Amino acid sequence: METQYDFKRRIYEVLEVSSIGDISSRAYDRLMTVAIIVGLVPLTQKGNNTLTLIIDISVSILFIIDYIARIYTADYKMGYKNYRAYIAYIFTPLALFDLLSISPVLYIFFPVSTIISLFRLFRIFRVLKLVRYSKTMIIIANVVRKVKAQLLAVLILIIVYIVVSAMLIYQLEPDLFDTFFDALYWATISITTIGYGDISPVTPIGRFITMISALVGMAVIALPTGIITAAYMAEITKKKSKYEL
Amino acid sequence: METQYDFKRRIYEVLEVSSIGDISSRAYDRLMTVAIIVGLVPLTQKGNNTLTLIIDISVSILFIIDYIARIYTADYKMGYKNYRAYIAYIFTPLALFDLLSISPVLYIFFPVSTIISLFRLFRIFRVLKLVRYSKTMIIIANVVRKVKAQLLAVLILIIVYIVVSAMLIYQLEPDLFDTFFDALYWATISITTIGYGDISPVTPIGRFITMISALVGMAVIALPTGIITAAYMAEITKKKSKYEL
Amino acid sequence: METQYDFKRRIYEVLEVSSIGDISSRAYDRLMTVAIIVGLVPLTQKGNNTLTLIIDISVSILFIIDYIARIYTADYKMGYKNYRAYIAYIFTPLALFDLLSISPVLYIFFPVSTIISLFRLFRIFRVLKLVRYSKTMIIIANVVRKVKAQLLAVLILIIVYIVVSAMLIYQLEPDLFDTFFDALYWATISITTIGYGDISPVTPIGRFITMISALVGMAVIALPTGIITAAYMAEITKKKSKYEL
Amino acid sequence: METQYDFKRRIYEVLEVSSIGDISSRAYDRLMTVAIIVGLVPLTQKGNNTLTLIIDISVSILFIIDYIARIYTADYKMGYKNYRAYIAYIFTPLALFDLLSISPVLYIFFPVSTIISLFRLFRIFRVLKLVRYSKTMIIIANVVRKVKAQLLAVLILIIVYIVVSAMLIYQLEPDLFDTFFDALYWATISITTIGYGDISPVTPIGRFITMISALVGMAVIALPTGIITAAYMAEITKKKSKYEL
């Protein structure tokens, strides 16, 4: 029994702990980093070919083993040692993303639908894990995490502003759009100042609404910049007063 | 007489006070929130159909009752108890928007003009009321309120800059525009960096003016960001020194 | 002699001093403000017509009288009372702009060239005088004045960056442009993120250069925002510590 | 031997030291500044002509002499006096750029390939040397240097975000793009808010991804502005507390 738990702890350490001395753990980290990046290559291809098939199968096998190993050691990860740890782990967001990201392997054996192949897109979330290897990235991640609530509130405000702008233009220049969704698309592209020009107002009233929307929108889109700058300055000041004083 | 005022105070409380214990008041808040959002659905439709008619009638009835109830309790709201309270309330901006937002119901019975149907757009202002339910929204609203005067001054500055840019390009590349309004539209879309490309200069002199206007404009459009960032930092610093020290 | 100087001082006060008690001075200020704004109306018209002619003649007469009166009282303005004051005043930038802005009146009598009519554009600089009537505008003007040197340095940096980007794309995708000026125009429109799309790269190498230029450009165009935000915060902090402490 | 080293030190001083009293050194600085700017003129021309040929030959001769003189005095520059100084100097980035920037002269004598002519583009890096003549430029350069690591991290983050956005749109609206590189180009142009409109989504799913990408992207592109503003403020505050207190 002891040996089993020693073996389990070792797996857990290789999977999760990244101490500098642990060569196996670091080698595993590097293997998974390469696998994550290589696993994204099929997303740069149209449809499927031999290359994407080989990559998909090999990466998926690796990810399946990783997934099983993580569930097996879930009691170490979650900190309490009974069957609930396994169930709790499976329903953590990261574990769900992991499950979704290995699901595309199914369509290799059961090519019922191409929709499943899109589940490869969930591998993108694994890229986020790479963030923790850079000190500056951690600072940036801290800043973003601290203002998460404000950024979300601003995002909601921006979305409300986009919806309102879309409603105004949709009522006042309806010929410009096929559906209300197109009006939302136009408003988003305009307020973020991208402005492709694939949809642009032609009537005076539509142009007038666009002008008002753009001018007021400048204050709205200044909010995320203001929030992030303020948070970044606070983070830097805190760091300084900690180390310099 | 006492009973009448008790009944009136109760209505006022349901309408305005949002104490956590008051179940009727909270239920009314939720009903109105749903009504505001549902009442915007017709604005996502081209013209009118059965759905928009049903929504318009039901939401309008609700808004009319709400409007009458708010006038009935205006003496509580305004703080002084005579006929002037009612008149003063009717002319507050919010009451005027409320009146305008219920006016579309008229055209259901007297379909004289489609212009009245556009008055539904005034319901959009009711969305602003939803802001008060979020703490972060209140912080953002505070920040924006504090720099309202500066943002307005900057808006005027930006409008002056747009008018001047429009005049310059209108005189130097007149063939590009049908009317001066089009030049104003072009200048607004350019200086806010949207740049649809539906109107873009073709002559060297027009392109030169555009380049100068864009480069100087960068400093002009940096002003709202600067003001909001500064105000946001001041708000955060104030908050911190209040709670942490 | 005394009377003459008293009369001269009175004119100088009406022209320049804006004390609240001086009704004539304030009336003159308002008259000139209206004249400046009305004088810009011809710039919103294509070519010349009866309206622009009437406005041009009346406004020009007013501006000529104003110009002569200002030269007549230049010794008060400049602070030293001899003939050099008049010459020195004539060559101040504002006096030169005033002279240029009244020159269009010449072409009414000698319609030799339409180029002179463009000199009306110099009236735009008079709009800048209107700034001094708003407290917030004065704060903004102070902020901009304080960082004038930095903004100029950044402008030079941005122009160098634009020139370098234009050179790169002009050498690597020459077919996209008729002249090097077009490459400069494209680079300016791209780096300020306007992006009309009238000129956009089509070859892989051109698109690659555009991508690099856009990504590095993000740091370059963040500079004016950073400078203005920092200056604005310093101005606000200074104000606060002055009045609150 | 002494005389030789005196001569060598004199050359080194002329090349590198910019003391105000040293007329030769300042004259050389100005000559090289003019040479750098004139040497860029051929980059504003399509292909080669007599003008570009004359400029290329004269500027190249100057640059070759400068290059040889800099290698000759490398032991002064590097601070240690043996053969390793020369080798170490040759492999410094600036010396490599210098070598690359003089290489185009080769194709005048051996017109094998036009690719070599593109090496003139390396002269652009010499423009960066001009920066040191402006105090404000030095402040800006300091700010940028201090946040170099953060800006690089943000650049990587932005590139990851661009790659992820490109993958999503490439899988969900593949007909829009010929190659994955085009998807990367589209994502870069969209996220930097340039938005030429040469490639813009047409399907609802593509437009939806673009909207999400643009909205989240606003927080991502606010990062460089936040970092530069924070660094700029820290630089200004440091300056002030140094000189004012």
Side-chain angles (χ1 to χ4, degrees):
Chain A
M1 199 65 177
E2 267 252 308
T3 327
Q4 194 204 324
Y5 275 108
D6 277 5
F7 173 68
K8 202 167 176 176
R9 170 172 286 127
R10 185 77 201 111
I11 288 175
Y12 173 67
E13 282 171 8
V14 168
L15 283 173
E16 295 282 343
V17 186
S18 290
S19 67
I20 295 155
D22 193 336
I23 292 162
S24 313
S25 177
R26 287 179 66 206
Y28 188 78
D29 269 6
R30 285 191 186 160
L31 176 68
M32 291 312 288
T33 303
V34 170
I36 291 167
I37 291 166
V38 171
L40 289 174
V41 169
L43 294 173
T44 68
Q45 305 289 316
K46 276 190 197 178
N48 298 297
N49 52 43
T50 319
L51 177 75
T52 66
L53 210 70
I54 293 166
I55 290 174
D56 269 347
I57 292 172
S58 23
V59 169
S60 291
I61 290 169
L62 213 65
F63 282 3
I64 288 166
I65 295 168
D66 179 80
Y67 185 68
I68 292 167
R70 278 176 201 278
I71 287 175
Y72 175 60
T73 62
D75 47 356
Y76 280 91
K77 170 120 189 144
M78 306 303 283
Y80 47 96
K81 290 191 186 300
N82 64 35
Y83 73 97
R84 283 187 305 155
Y86 301 102
I87 294 164
Y89 176 74
I90 287 167
F91 289 97
T92 58
L94 231 61
L96 285 172
F97 284 138
D98 281 355
L99 184 62
L100 286 168
S101 71
I102 57 174
S103 56
V105 82
L106 292 173
Y107 92 107
I108 297 163
F109 308 108
F110 313 98
V112 264
S113 154
T114 54
I115 290 163
I116 302 170
S117 81
L118 289 177
F119 278 34
R120 282 186 298 206
L121 292 169
F122 284 100
R123 279 181 204 155
I124 286 167
F125 290 98
R126 282 177 173 258
V127 175
L128 294 176
K129 283 191 192 170
L130 301 180
V131 162
R132 68 190 151 160
Y133 295 122
S134 152
K135 266 185 196 176
T136 322
M137 286 291 185
I138 290 165
I139 294 178
I140 292 167
N142 274 344
V143 166
V144 173
R145 194 174 303 131
K146 255 177 204 163
V147 291
K148 210 170 57 180
Q150 281 110 301
L151 281 182
L152 199 73
V154 166
L155 187 66
I156 291 168
L157 203 72
I158 291 172
I159 289 170
V160 167
Y161 187 69
I162 284 170
V163 171
V164 166
S165 294
M167 282 174 176
L168 272 168
I169 197 97
Y170 194 63
Q171 291 302 313
L172 294 170
E173 194 171 350
D175 295 340
L176 202 60
F177 307 101
D178 289 334
T179 62
F180 182 65
F181 174 78
D182 283 353
L184 282 174
Y185 165 73
W186 167 85
T188 309
I189 297 306
S190 297
I191 286 154
T192 55
T193 78
I194 295 174
Y196 289 126
D198 50 352
I199 306 174
S200 61
V202 285
T203 64
I205 185 77
R207 290 187 165 180
F208 184 72
I209 293 297
T210 305
M211 284 160 74
I212 302 295
S213 177
L215 287 173
V216 177
M218 281 172 65
V220 177
I221 57 169
L223 283 169
T225 308
I227 289 167
I228 284 174
T229 305
Y232 207 86
M233 281 209 64
E235 188 77 17
I236 283 172
T237 316
K238 206 185 65 187
K239 268 265 159 66
K240 258 187 195 157
S241 59
K242 220 172 174 176
Y243 294 108
E244 290 189 356
L245 295 178
Chain B
M1 199 66 175
E2 267 253 307
T3 326
Q4 195 206 323
Y5 275 107
D6 276 5
F7 172 69
K8 202 168 177 176
R9 170 174 288 128
R10 185 79 199 110
I11 288 176
Y12 174 67
E13 283 171 6
V14 168
L15 284 173
E16 295 283 344
V17 187
S18 290
S19 67
I20 295 155
D22 193 337
I23 292 163
S24 313
S25 178
R26 288 179 65 208
Y28 187 77
D29 269 6
R30 285 189 187 160
L31 176 69
M32 290 313 288
T33 304
V34 170
I36 290 167
I37 291 166
V38 170
L40 289 174
V41 169
L43 294 173
T44 69
Q45 306 288 316
K46 276 190 197 178
N48 299 298
N49 53 43
T50 318
L51 177 74
T52 64
L53 210 70
I54 293 166
I55 290 173
D56 269 348
I57 293 172
S58 22
V59 169
S60 290
I61 290 168
L62 214 65
F63 281 4
I64 288 166
I65 294 167
D66 181 80
Y67 185 67
I68 292 167
R70 276 176 202 278
I71 288 177
Y72 176 60
T73 61
D75 48 357
Y76 281 90
K77 171 120 188 144
M78 306 303 283
Y80 46 96
K81 289 193 187 297
N82 63 36
Y83 73 97
R84 284 187 304 154
Y86 301 101
I87 294 163
Y89 175 73
I90 287 168
F91 290 98
T92 58
L94 232 61
L96 285 172
F97 284 139
D98 282 355
L99 184 62
L100 286 168
S101 72
I102 56 175
S103 57
V105 82
L106 291 173
Y107 91 106
I108 298 163
F109 308 110
F110 313 97
V112 265
S113 155
T114 54
I115 290 163
I116 302 170
S117 81
L118 289 177
F119 279 35
R120 283 186 298 207
L121 292 169
F122 285 99
R123 280 181 203 154
I124 285 166
F125 290 97
R126 282 178 173 259
V127 175
L128 294 176
K129 283 191 193 171
L130 302 180
V131 161
R132 69 191 151 158
Y133 296 121
S134 152
K135 267 187 197 175
T136 321
M137 287 292 185
I138 290 165
I139 293 177
I140 292 168
N142 275 344
V143 167
V144 172
R145 194 173 303 133
K146 256 176 205 163
V147 291
K148 210 170 56 178
Q150 281 109 302
L151 282 181
L152 198 73
V154 166
L155 187 68
I156 290 168
L157 203 72
I158 291 172
I159 289 171
V160 168
Y161 187 69
I162 285 169
V163 171
V164 167
S165 295
M167 282 173 177
L168 273 167
I169 197 97
Y170 195 63
Q171 291 302 314
L172 294 169
E173 193 171 351
D175 295 340
L176 203 60
F177 307 102
D178 288 335
T179 62
F180 182 66
F181 174 77
D182 284 353
L184 281 174
Y185 165 73
W186 167 85
T188 309
I189 297 307
S190 298
I191 285 155
T192 55
T193 78
I194 296 174
Y196 288 125
D198 49 353
I199 306 173
S200 61
V202 284
T203 63
I205 185 78
R207 289 186 166 180
F208 185 71
I209 293 297
T210 306
M211 285 161 74
I212 302 295
S213 175
L215 287 173
V216 177
M218 281 173 64
V220 177
I221 58 167
L223 283 168
T225 309
I227 289 167
I228 284 174
T229 305
Y232 207 86
M233 281 210 64
E235 187 79 16
I236 284 173
T237 316
K238 205 186 66 186
K239 268 265 158 63
K240 256 186 196 159
S241 60
K242 217 170 173 178
Y243 294 109
E244 290 189 357
L245 295 179
Chain C
M1 200 67 177
E2 267 251 306
T3 326
Q4 196 205 321
Y5 274 109
D6 277 5
F7 172 68
K8 203 168 177 177
R9 170 173 288 126
R10 185 77 201 115
I11 288 176
Y12 173 67
E13 282 172 6
V14 168
L15 284 173
E16 295 282 344
V17 186
S18 291
S19 67
I20 296 155
D22 193 336
I23 292 163
S24 312
S25 178
R26 288 179 65 208
Y28 187 78
D29 269 6
R30 286 192 186 155
L31 176 70
M32 290 313 287
T33 304
V34 170
I36 290 167
I37 292 167
V38 170
L40 289 173
V41 169
L43 294 173
T44 69
Q45 306 289 316
K46 277 190 196 177
N48 298 297
N49 52 44
T50 318
L51 177 74
T52 64
L53 209 70
I54 292 165
I55 290 174
D56 269 348
I57 293 173
S58 23
V59 169
S60 290
I61 290 168
L62 214 64
F63 282 5
I64 288 166
I65 295 168
D66 180 79
Y67 184 68
I68 292 167
R70 277 176 202 277
I71 289 176
Y72 176 60
T73 61
D75 46 357
Y76 281 91
K77 172 125 188 140
M78 305 304 281
Y80 46 97
K81 290 191 188 300
N82 62 37
Y83 73 95
R84 283 187 304 154
Y86 301 101
I87 293 163
Y89 176 74
I90 287 167
F91 289 98
T92 58
L94 230 63
L96 285 171
F97 284 139
D98 282 356
L99 183 62
L100 286 168
S101 71
I102 57 174
S103 57
V105 82
L106 291 173
Y107 90 105
I108 298 163
F109 308 108
F110 314 97
V112 265
S113 155
T114 55
I115 292 163
I116 302 171
S117 81
L118 289 176
F119 279 35
R120 282 186 298 208
L121 292 168
F122 285 99
R123 281 182 202 153
I124 286 167
F125 290 97
R126 281 177 173 257
V127 175
L128 294 175
K129 283 193 194 169
L130 302 180
V131 161
R132 69 190 151 157
Y133 296 121
S134 152
K135 267 186 196 174
T136 321
M137 287 292 184
I138 290 164
I139 294 178
I140 293 167
N142 274 343
V143 167
V144 173
R145 196 173 303 133
K146 257 177 204 161
V147 291
K148 211 171 56 178
Q150 281 109 303
L151 282 181
L152 198 72
V154 166
L155 186 67
I156 291 167
L157 203 72
I158 291 172
I159 289 171
V160 168
Y161 188 68
I162 284 169
V163 171
V164 167
S165 295
M167 283 174 176
L168 272 167
I169 196 96
Y170 195 63
Q171 291 302 312
L172 294 169
E173 194 170 350
D175 296 339
L176 202 59
F177 308 100
D178 288 333
T179 61
F180 182 65
F181 174 77
D182 284 352
L184 282 175
Y185 165 73
W186 167 85
T188 309
I189 297 306
S190 297
I191 286 154
T192 55
T193 78
I194 296 174
Y196 289 125
D198 49 352
I199 306 173
S200 61
V202 285
T203 64
I205 184 76
R207 289 187 166 181
F208 185 71
I209 293 296
T210 306
M211 285 160 75
I212 302 295
S213 175
L215 288 173
V216 177
M218 281 172 65
V220 177
I221 57 168
L223 283 168
T225 309
I227 289 167
I228 283 174
T229 304
Y232 207 87
M233 281 209 64
E235 186 79 15
I236 283 173
T237 316
K238 205 186 66 186
K239 267 267 159 62
K240 258 187 194 157
S241 59
K242 218 173 175 176
Y243 294 110
E244 289 189 358
L245 296 178
Chain D
M1 200 66 176
E2 267 252 307
T3 327
Q4 196 204 322
Y5 275 109
D6 277 4
F7 172 68
K8 203 168 176 175
R9 170 173 288 125
R10 185 78 199 111
I11 288 175
Y12 173 66
E13 282 172 5
V14 168
L15 284 173
E16 294 282 344
V17 186
S18 291
S19 66
I20 296 155
D22 194 336
I23 292 162
S24 313
S25 178
R26 288 179 64 207
Y28 187 78
D29 269 6
R30 286 191 187 158
L31 176 71
M32 291 312 288
T33 304
V34 170
I36 291 167
I37 292 167
V38 170
L40 290 173
V41 169
L43 295 173
T44 68
Q45 305 289 317
K46 276 189 196 177
N48 298 297
N49 52 44
T50 318
L51 177 75
T52 65
L53 209 71
I54 293 166
I55 290 173
D56 269 348
I57 293 173
S58 23
V59 169
S60 290
I61 290 169
L62 214 64
F63 283 3
I64 289 167
I65 295 167
D66 180 79
Y67 185 68
I68 292 167
R70 278 176 201 278
I71 289 176
Y72 175 61
T73 61
D75 47 356
Y76 281 90
K77 169 122 190 143
M78 305 304 281
Y80 45 97
K81 291 192 186 298
N82 64 35
Y83 72 96
R84 283 188 305 153
Y86 301 101
I87 294 164
Y89 176 74
I90 287 168
F91 289 98
T92 57
L94 231 62
L96 285 172
F97 285 138
D98 281 357
L99 184 60
L100 286 168
S101 71
I102 57 174
S103 56
V105 82
L106 292 172
Y107 91 105
I108 296 163
F109 309 109
F110 314 98
V112 264
S113 154
T114 55
I115 291 163
I116 303 171
S117 82
L118 289 177
F119 279 34
R120 282 188 297 208
L121 293 169
F122 285 100
R123 280 181 204 156
I124 286 167
F125 290 98
R126 282 176 174 259
V127 175
L128 294 176
K129 283 191 193 170
L130 302 180
V131 162
R132 68 188 152 159
Y133 296 122
S134 151
K135 266 185 195 175
T136 322
M137 286 292 184
I138 290 165
I139 293 178
I140 293 168
N142 274 345
V143 167
V144 172
R145 194 174 304 132
K146 256 177 205 162
V147 291
K148 210 171 58 179
Q150 280 110 301
L151 281 181
L152 198 74
V154 165
L155 186 67
I156 290 167
L157 203 73
I158 291 171
I159 289 170
V160 168
Y161 187 69
I162 285 169
V163 171
V164 167
S165 294
M167 282 174 176
L168 272 167
I169 197 96
Y170 195 64
Q171 291 302 313
L172 295 169
E173 193 169 351
D175 296 340
L176 203 59
F177 308 100
D178 289 334
T179 62
F180 182 66
F181 175 78
D182 283 352
L184 282 174
Y185 165 72
W186 167 85
T188 310
I189 297 305
S190 298
I191 285 155
T192 55
T193 78
I194 295 174
Y196 289 126
D198 50 352
I199 305 173
S200 61
V202 285
T203 64
I205 185 77
R207 290 186 165 182
F208 185 71
I209 292 296
T210 306
M211 285 160 74
I212 302 295
S213 177
L215 287 173
V216 178
M218 281 172 64
V220 177
I221 57 167
L223 283 169
T225 308
I227 289 166
I228 283 174
T229 304
Y232 207 86
M233 281 210 64
E235 187 78 16
I236 282 172
T237 316
K238 206 186 66 188
K239 268 264 159 65
K240 259 188 194 156
S241 59
K242 220 171 174 177
Y243 294 109
E244 288 189 357
L245 295 178

